Amino acid sequence: MRKTKGFTFRNIFPLILRSSLTRSRPFKAYSFVPFSPLAMLDPTILTIGGIVLGIALIERILERWGVIDLVDQFAKVMRFILPMTFYSALIYFFATFMF
């Protein structure tokens, strides 16, 4: 059977007193992160926006090709999906936003 040896905290980390340690003056630090437009570069928000823009581009291309029936179906679906996507992304952004 092995014999275990115990160490105290003071043996491992000896206490060194530094009397010449000067304290720096406190300074005020301001953070502008909550007001930064770069906070909108969340990958989830960008993915949702890219999907919505892709569907809009497909709709425009189909309109140019003359497939009006399919464009009409896209428009009916997008009338429901676009507001839901916008509000869901808005709720997600404010739920994960660090104030």
Side-chain angles (χ1 to χ4, degrees), residues 63-88:
E63 187 179 358
R64 278 192 188 192
W65 288 352
V67 191
I68 302 300
D69 294 333
L70 197 53
V71 172
D72 189 40
Q73 293 297 324
F74 265 108
K76 286 179 183 176
V77 171
M78 292 305 285
R79 245 182 249 141
F80 175 74
I81 289 178
L82 280 176
M84 292 299 294
T85 305
F86 172 74
Y87 289 121
S88 300

Side-chain angles (χ1 to χ4, degrees), residues 3 7 14 17 19 21 28 30 38-39 49 52-53 55 61 63 81 84 91 99:
K3 186 177 180 183
F7 293 103
L17 294 176
S19 60
L21 183 66
K28 293 183 180 180
Y30 297 99
L38 295 177
V52 170
L53 284 176
I55 291 172
I61 290 170
E63 187 179 358
I81 289 178
M84 292 299 294
I91 290 170
F99 286 103

Side-chain angles (χ1 to χ4, degrees), residues 17-37:
L17 294 176
R18 294 182 183 162
S19 60
S20 65
L21 183 66
T22 59
R23 295 184 183 223
S24 61
R25 290 183 289 150
F27 62 95
K28 293 183 180 180
Y30 297 99
S31 174
F32 295 104
V33 173
F35 306 108
S36 173

Side-chain angles (χ1 to χ4, degrees), residues 38-47 92-93 96:
L38 295 177
M40 290 294 289
L41 294 178
D42 185 36
T44 306
I45 301 291
L46 290 176
T47 303
Y92 171 79
F93 176 72
T96 59

